[in-house]
Amino acid sequence: MAGMQALPRNVLLAAVASILSAAALVLVATIFGGPSGLGSRPADDGGIIYDPGAPTFTLCAGALDSHNVPFTSHSDERPFGSYLQQTLDFAPFEELFSAVNASAGTLRTRGEAHVTVVTPPEVDRVLGPAGVTIGEIEAIAARAGIQRARLSPVCLGRFAGTLPNPATKADEGAFLLYSLVVADSFGDLVGIRREIFKLYRAKGGEGALFQPEGFWPHVTIGYDRRDLFIEDGIYKGPNYCYAHIRLAT
């Protein structure tokens, strides 16, 4: 210490700063860069956790481009018959279904592909009672160019299990369901939902009942018993990811 006290003050302060900086770097490396332990971090993959035994599936690169696919209207007056969707070409998804079903072996497909943008329960239970019609919803979607909405694949999602709270005896037991989880890459679809929300609020709708961002876009690929929804306790976001998707060029 006597030697350090003999040093000029500015030199002493610089030395102390260097020591503290080196110690901080060691601490950061220990917490964030260690090979194991509580502080180690995997490579940044957006927080997605895949099944380590799942294969990688391939999807045609243009599968999510729907600008040349005609819009499909769903305006049935029966309960849960009205909803809004972005319609996709089924052919590339049929190929993905075949690849998935080659291992699952028990799946059914609807024979069409789409991304639901406004769900039947949202129309029947929230928007409709406030006076928002499916015609008005579709008009907003048409003005926004719903068939040109830009999507990108995230992963293949899978649910293989029992429902947390089966509504009926028929819903007891195991289910198997696969979907392509997609990203609304530029906010095109959530933008449509926000415009619908504006109309809903203008008609006196209670804001707490419709969340424009409460939206998990996906394409149903196949299922063994029936499709499953949020009402069943199933959320189809990145949490649902099972396998990687590779785009075929």
Side-chain angles (χ1 to χ4, degrees):
M1 290 297 295
M4 292 186 69
Q5 290 173 352
L7 293 173
R9 180 178 177 81
N10 62 334
V11 175
L12 179 59
L13 290 175
V16 171
S18 296
I19 293 170
L20 291 175
S21 178
L25 289 173
V26 171
L27 180 61
V28 169
T30 301
I31 294 174
F32 295 110
S36 62
L38 183 63
S40 62
R41 298 193 304 180
D44 183 12
D45 60 358
I48 294 176
I49 301 174
Y50 296 95
D51 187 312
T56 295
F57 291 91
T58 300
L59 179 69
C60 173
L64 294 171
D65 181 357
S66 65
H67 77 279
N68 285 325
V69 180
F71 173 75
T72 303
S73 173
H74 293 278
S75 55
D76 195 322
E77 293 183 358
R78 292 176 297 179
F80 303 118
S82 294
Y83 53 96
L84 178 66
Q85 72 174 43
Q86 179 181 358
T87 307
L88 303 170
D89 180 16
F90 178 59
F93 294 97
E94 186 174 25
E95 294 178 7
L96 179 58
F97 169 80
S98 297
V100 172
N101 201 37
S103 58
T106 59
L107 302 179
R108 295 182 289 161
T109 175
R110 290 198 186 103
E112 55 86 27
H114 70 270
V115 173
T116 301
V117 181
V118 179
T119 69
E122 286 178 320
V123 173
D124 282 16
R125 297 173 180 172
V126 181
L127 300 172
V132 179
T133 69
I134 187 63
E136 290 172 320
I137 291 170
E138 291 184 345
I140 289 172
R143 288 195 298 271
I146 188 171
Q147 289 300 117
R148 296 192 301 274
R150 294 159 290 183
L151 305 172
S152 58
V154 175
C155 68
L156 182 73
R158 183 185 75 170
F159 175 73
T162 58
L163 298 181
N165 295 294
T168 66
K169 292 286 289 185
D171 282 341
E172 294 179 354
F175 284 82
L176 183 60
L177 167 69
Y178 291 87
S179 310
L180 178 73
V181 178
V182 302
D184 181 19
S185 310
F186 294 86
D188 299 328
L189 296 181
V190 78
I192 291 172
R193 288 178 58 88
R194 287 171 180 154
E195 290 302 312
I196 293 167
F197 178 72
K198 290 178 184 176
L199 176 62
Y200 167 70
R201 294 289 282 133
K203 293 195 173 196
E206 172 55 57
L209 299 180
F210 185 80
Q211 169 59 283
E213 293 76 23
F215 170 56
W216 296 269
H218 63 275
V219 182
T220 299
I221 301 302
Y223 46 85
D224 61 349
R225 295 169 61 184
R226 67 173 178 87
D227 200 356
L228 300 170
F229 309 97
I230 292 174
E231 291 76 17
D232 297 303
I234 305 301
Y235 290 84
K236 300 172 184 175
N239 58 296
Y240 177 49
C241 286
Y242 161 69
H244 290 271
I245 286 288
R246 179 179 60 239
L247 291 178
T249 55

